[in-house]
Amino acid sequence: MSTHKIAVIRGDGIGPEVIEASLAVLDAAESAFGFSTERMEVTAGAQHYLRTSELWTPNLQARLRSQDAILFGAMGDPAVAPGILERGFILEMRRTFQQAVNLRPVKLYPGVKTPITGLTPERCDMIIVRENTEGAYVGRGSTVHAGTPYAVAVQESVNTRVGVERVVDFSFRLAQKRRGKLTLCHKTNILVEAGRLWQDTVNDLSKTYPDVELDYVHVDAMCFHLPLSPERFDVVVTDNLFGDIITDLGAVIQGGLGIASSANLNLDGSAPSMFEAIHGSAPDIAGRGWANPIGSILSTALMLAHLGEEAAALAVEASAVHVLAQLPAPSGAGMGRSTMELGLEIAALVGAGESVPAVPGRSLMGELAGMRG
């Protein structure tokens, strides 16, 4: 029996609720598929910061580094100024643990309502690979003459060949396992220097992957093509800021932030990868049971795939999607079940080993499991 060490960070707002539902599903997967997890609970987030002034500490870093993966809820609270938790904890974790790839599937599941008229699941099944440690999110910048009419703010975007190359190489390998098409999304006509580095890297690595078809789309054009012709895209690779924006658009297309999942991948095994739903902490609905946990549960499935538990990951995905298709609303009281009730319903399907139909189309679970190491 394999055993995996999992750090659990519940965080703020609806974070603890969606994590609790996800852990119920993880319990069921362990029983059904014959593996186990050792879970380390980690207290972090807004309330912890307000009590202790602690964010990312050397002790916390050492504790987390010993784990195989991190399951993350959400962070954020109106009592903490914007940027403190995001930069002081989340971005610091991604940087310190070199979680170079932010992996976000944009897949319209059967039975899920989308705001795009006429869109079908067959037309929307892609992966967006976002560079996760560089770009505009490195936090480099300065302001002079602050508080005066002459204030000048400079915010830098940092792109390195090694940072871009590892993400592009991962994207090529992923494209090989899918439809064999890779699209670079950037703004090469305006961000000339950064854009050239990205395009040169794609062109250079394409010689190693001659079977992968290449495409390029400006980021503003992507915001047009993504909702209207998502079938054009298979694997999309892009920089940190652009990826942050277009993946939220992708989440809306696939049915809402509550069902969108993500993985923050360390590619060389030197530190744990982190898995989280892409929604925020939503403090306005915290404690009401209105949060949809399926984004977190699908992120748990991605974690299982990353850990090599492919069969369990596929079962969790299929069970979650089966329940998702039955929901009358994607979130809120209209779901007809509470956050935990949804988690237990999905857990029951996973644990009973019932014959839930596999998710149509490609599954990132199998592809991710095949890319370990």
Side-chain angles (χ1 to χ4, degrees):
M1 177 185 290
S2 56
T3 300
H4 309 289
K5 295 187 291 184
I6 309 298
V8 178
I9 304 177
R10 298 172 186 259
D12 306 310
I14 63 172
E17 299 171 58
V18 298
I19 288 294
E20 193 65 22
S22 300
L23 292 179
V25 176
L26 183 56
D27 288 339
E30 290 185 35
S31 299
F33 291 92
F35 66 94
S36 65
T37 61
E38 296 176 359
R39 302 174 194 174
M40 180 180 74
E41 292 278 351
V42 175
T43 302
Q47 297 308 312
H48 180 74
Y49 171 73
L50 291 172
R51 288 194 308 269
T52 66
S53 298
E54 290 182 348
L55 290 168
W56 184 261
T57 66
N59 177 61
L60 177 58
Q61 177 183 328
R63 292 178 63 206
L64 289 175
R65 190 177 286 277
S66 67
Q67 303 299 293
D68 297 319
I70 301 167
L71 188 59
F72 187 86
M75 277 192 185
D77 189 278
V80 179
I84 291 177
L85 295 168
E86 294 87 346
R87 291 177 58 178
F89 192 97
I90 297 172
L91 295 187
E92 192 63 25
M93 173 168 55
R94 292 174 179 173
R95 183 193 64 81
T96 303
F97 288 162
Q98 286 300 290
Q99 294 165 348
V101 165
N102 182 268
L103 197 64
R104 294 197 182 182
V106 178
K107 185 177 178 72
L108 179 61
Y109 293 111
V112 176
K113 294 181 180 179
T114 170
I116 309 302
T117 301
L119 185 61
T120 61
E122 294 78 18
R123 294 178 52 214
C124 184
D125 188 354
M126 76 187 78
I127 309 294
I128 298 178
V129 181
R130 166 189 170 190
E131 197 288 316
N132 208 31
T133 64
E134 297 185 346
Y137 289 9
V138 295
R140 305 288 184 183
S142 62
T143 301
V144 296
H145 306 304
T148 77
Y150 304 100
V152 177
V154 177
Q155 195 76 49
E156 298 177 0
S157 177
V158 178
N159 301 265
T160 69
R161 173 70 189 217
V162 67
V164 173
E165 186 168 298
R166 62 187 177 183
V167 173
V168 170
D169 182 72
F170 177 91
S171 301
F172 269 112
R173 291 189 289 119
L174 182 58
Q176 279 188 319
K177 293 180 175 295
R178 291 176 57 85
R179 299 199 330 252
K181 183 173 182 179
L182 177 63
T183 301
L184 170 61
C185 174
H186 209 278
K187 190 66 176 170
T188 55
N189 60 336
I190 301 297
L191 304 179
V192 178
E193 300 302 325
R196 182 183 297 118
L197 176 60
W198 276 86
Q199 187 67 71
D200 286 351
T201 303
V202 169
N203 292 343
D204 290 347
L205 289 184
S206 68
K207 301 168 187 175
T208 306
Y209 303 95
D211 53 332
V212 175
E213 177 188 354
L214 294 182
D215 189 16
Y216 173 81
V217 178
H218 286 322
V219 65
D220 46 342
M222 175 63 80
C223 293
F224 174 84
H225 292 302
L226 188 56
L228 297 183
S229 53
E231 64 273 15
R232 171 176 173 172
F233 305 109
D234 181 24
V235 177
V236 176
V237 64
T238 190
D239 98 321
N240 207 336
L241 177 59
F242 296 151
D244 195 6
I245 296 168
I246 65 172
T247 52
D248 279 5
L249 174 58
V252 172
I253 294 167
Q254 70 180 111
L257 293 176
I259 62 176
S261 60
S262 76
N264 298 269
L265 300 179
N266 172 283
L267 299 179
D268 61 11
S270 61
S273 297
M274 184 265 280
F275 301 84
E276 60 175 334
I278 75 169
H279 59 66
S281 60
D284 56 321
I285 63 168
R288 297 189 181 188
W290 287 0
N292 190 332
I294 288 180
S296 180
I297 290 168
L298 291 173
S299 299
T300 304
L302 289 174
M303 180 182 74
L304 290 172
H306 175 71
L307 294 172
E309 303 293 347
E310 181 180 351
L314 289 168
V316 170
E317 179 189 35
S319 299
V321 171
H322 179 75
V323 171
L324 177 63
Q326 302 171 27
L327 294 183
S331 62
M335 290 192 299
R337 296 108 154 150
S338 70
T339 304
M340 195 61 196
E341 286 171 341
L342 278 171
L344 292 174
E345 186 174 350
I346 294 167
L349 291 176
V350 173
E354 294 185 14
S355 180
V356 177
V359 177
R362 292 166 181 81
S363 174
L364 179 57
M365 307 305 161
E367 295 157 357
L368 188 56
M371 297 180 71
R372 296 180 68 224

